[in-house]
Amino acid sequence: MAILPKILRRYAKNSSRVYLEQFVQQAAKSLQPGQRMLDAGAGDAAYQRFFQHVTYESADFCQVDKAYAPMTYVCDLAAVPVENERYDLILLTQVLEHLPNPQLVLTEMLRLLKPNGTLWLSAPLFYEEHEVPFDFYRYTQFGFKQQLTQAGFQVEQTQWLEGYYGTLAYQADLAVRSLRLNPRFYGGGWAGLGGSFTALLLRPILVATSLLFSRLDLQYKFTEAGMCKNYALIARKPA
């Protein structure tokens, strides 16, 4: 049964990644040739390809055990070693939850932006702990707005990155990866055997559920109820 999560990851199109890529492409299209942007917390620089028409710079502290692209600046995002008002746009996607002092970083992003420059950011509301031990926070839309306005930004747009179907797809996928088949995880004895058998029956159903809701989320972004997996925001530095 261990093959089921592999099947899920192979055939389920991750709607969060699709919507995040669209969000980043929208950011790239907002820039004019010759302008300058910073990919803050760039990681493997997966979105650099969208910014070929501008000056692309990247920054990361490069301390998580994962692959990194070559960085323009290896540094703490609270202290990027460049002058004031260097960038027209800063991209900060899926990074804010990993910052122990997010307010310091947002204040630094404000310093780095030119007047009327924009900060494009996303971060999770519902997601498992990851890149541990560098995983500190989850944000509601109100938490985002408080952090940004306290740093001096004007919040222009707040949206669900994906719809509720994307959250359901993730929850089903998480259940497939988390539910154990060993009876001892259900207390042992007859109760343990019952729990183990139920988990065994549920696994293919959960795989199908995740596949279904992933596809549904890309066809119809349902945001009228439930909760999102991630928020995406655009904030501007006042002129």
Side-chain angles (χ1 to χ4, degrees):
M1 298 303 291
I3 196 173
L4 286 176
K6 295 180 181 179
I7 293 174
L8 180 62
R9 286 191 292 272
R10 181 176 179 181
Y11 292 103
K13 197 166 188 178
N14 189 321
S15 60
S16 297
R17 292 179 183 173
V18 173
Y19 283 125
L20 182 56
E21 187 169 293
Q22 291 175 356
F23 181 69
V24 175
Q25 287 179 301
Q26 183 186 353
K29 289 177 181 178
S30 74
L31 289 171
Q32 299 299 315
Q35 291 188 305
R36 187 186 306 271
M37 63 85 63
L38 177 69
D39 192 349
D44 61 358
Y47 303 119
Q48 182 176 2
R49 66 189 188 278
F50 299 130
F51 297 94
Q52 299 298 316
H53 62 301
V54 300
T55 301
Y56 173 92
E57 296 182 0
S58 58
D60 207 307
F61 76 156
C62 298
Q63 294 183 24
V64 177
D65 184 18
K66 66 178 185 179
Y68 286 93
M71 291 293 144
T72 313
Y73 310 103
V74 177
C75 63
D76 186 333
L77 292 183
V80 181
V82 300
E83 72 277 9
N84 294 345
E85 301 181 357
R86 180 175 176 84
Y87 301 107
D88 299 283
L89 180 147
I90 295 176
L91 189 67
L92 190 71
T93 57
Q94 308 306 105
V95 174
L96 204 66
E97 74 271 23
H98 299 296
L99 304 175
N101 296 297
Q103 192 63 209
L104 292 179
V105 173
L106 291 175
T107 301
E108 177 72 347
M109 299 298 104
L110 190 79
R111 179 187 76 81
L112 298 175
L113 279 170
K114 297 176 181 179
N116 277 323
T118 53
L119 175 67
W120 295 64
L121 68 111
S122 66
L125 171 63
F126 181 84
Y127 198 77
E128 63 188 307
E129 292 179 356
H130 58 293
E131 296 191 2
V132 293
F134 303 104
D135 190 3
F136 303 103
Y137 301 106
R138 296 292 179 270
Y139 292 93
T140 66
Q141 58 179 309
F142 309 105
F144 271 121
K145 290 176 182 178
Q146 181 187 47
Q147 292 279 340
L148 287 164
T149 55
Q150 284 184 350
F153 283 97
Q154 294 176 347
V155 179
E156 293 195 338
Q157 179 179 309
T158 304
Q159 65 182 27
W160 290 28
L161 181 63
E162 59 283 287
Y164 182 48
Y165 297 149
T167 307
L168 289 174
Y170 170 72
Q171 287 178 306
D173 177 31
L174 182 62
V176 171
R177 292 184 281 113
S178 302
L179 289 175
R180 300 293 184 261
L181 299 182
N182 193 313
R184 70 182 180 86
F185 289 102
Y186 305 95
W190 287 107
L193 287 172
S196 177
F197 182 68
T198 301
L200 182 66
L201 292 177
L202 281 175
R203 277 197 170 190
I205 297 172
L206 290 167
V207 168
T209 299
S210 185
L211 289 167
L212 171 64
F213 279 116
S214 290
R215 291 183 178 275
L216 281 175
D217 192 43
L218 292 171
Q219 293 174 2
Y220 176 67
K221 188 176 176 180
F222 177 74
T223 61
E224 284 74 28
M227 63 184 296
C228 63
K229 184 178 164 190
N230 299 275
Y231 277 107
L233 297 93
I234 305 171
R236 187 175 298 275
K237 179 177 180 175

